[in-house]
Amino acid sequence: MYNYEVALIIRPEIEDEDHAALIERLGELLTSEGGEVADVETWGRRRLAYPIRNIQEGYYYFIHGQFSASVLPELERTIKLNEDILRHMVIRTDA
């Protein structure tokens, strides 16, 4: 198990309940093989540095935790299939 940070930018048209459901679904996926979500950091609605698909703003979320590396390919696949997520990045924070 390694420490990871998952950064997400979600479309601004999505309702707050849907944000919570999406973050919960990703958290369940990350913890499916014994991982642990330590914290979900919400930055809220922010202006993007450049337009993504003609969208100027997005909701920023950061999921911190300890996850198995074997769950990351499924996480990437799930995120890429979800059109509500504009951008994502998975970072291993161990040194």
Side-chain angles (χ1 to χ4, degrees):
M1 297 276 188
Y2 298 105
N3 292 323
Y4 287 97
E5 176 180 300
V6 180
L8 303 167
I9 302 176
I10 299 176
R11 297 174 74 88
E13 303 90 29
I14 307 304
E15 298 294 326
D16 290 339
E17 305 86 41
D18 296 332
H19 288 197
L22 177 61
I23 298 299
E24 180 68 28
R25 195 170 349 126
L26 293 176
E28 290 173 0
L29 177 65
L30 290 169
T31 59
S32 65
E33 294 186 19
E36 176 185 340
V37 173
D39 182 34
V40 176
E41 192 176 341
T42 305
W43 281 15
R45 190 174 182 145
R46 303 272 175 127
R47 184 161 177 80
L48 301 175
Y50 55 90
I52 301 172
R53 296 185 220 151
N54 293 326
I55 297 174
Q56 300 288 331
E57 295 181 336
Y59 284 93
Y60 283 71
Y61 289 93
F62 297 90
I63 303 172
H64 304 275
Q66 198 171 42
F67 315 117
S68 172
S70 62
V71 77
L72 295 180
E74 180 63 23
L75 175 71
E76 291 277 338
R77 187 183 80 73
T78 302
I79 288 174
K80 287 180 182 178
L81 290 175
N82 191 327
E83 293 181 4
D84 294 334
I85 300 174
L86 297 175
R87 289 285 189 270
H88 74 282
M89 182 169 36
V90 179
I91 303 168
R92 185 171 154 191
T93 57
D94 290 340

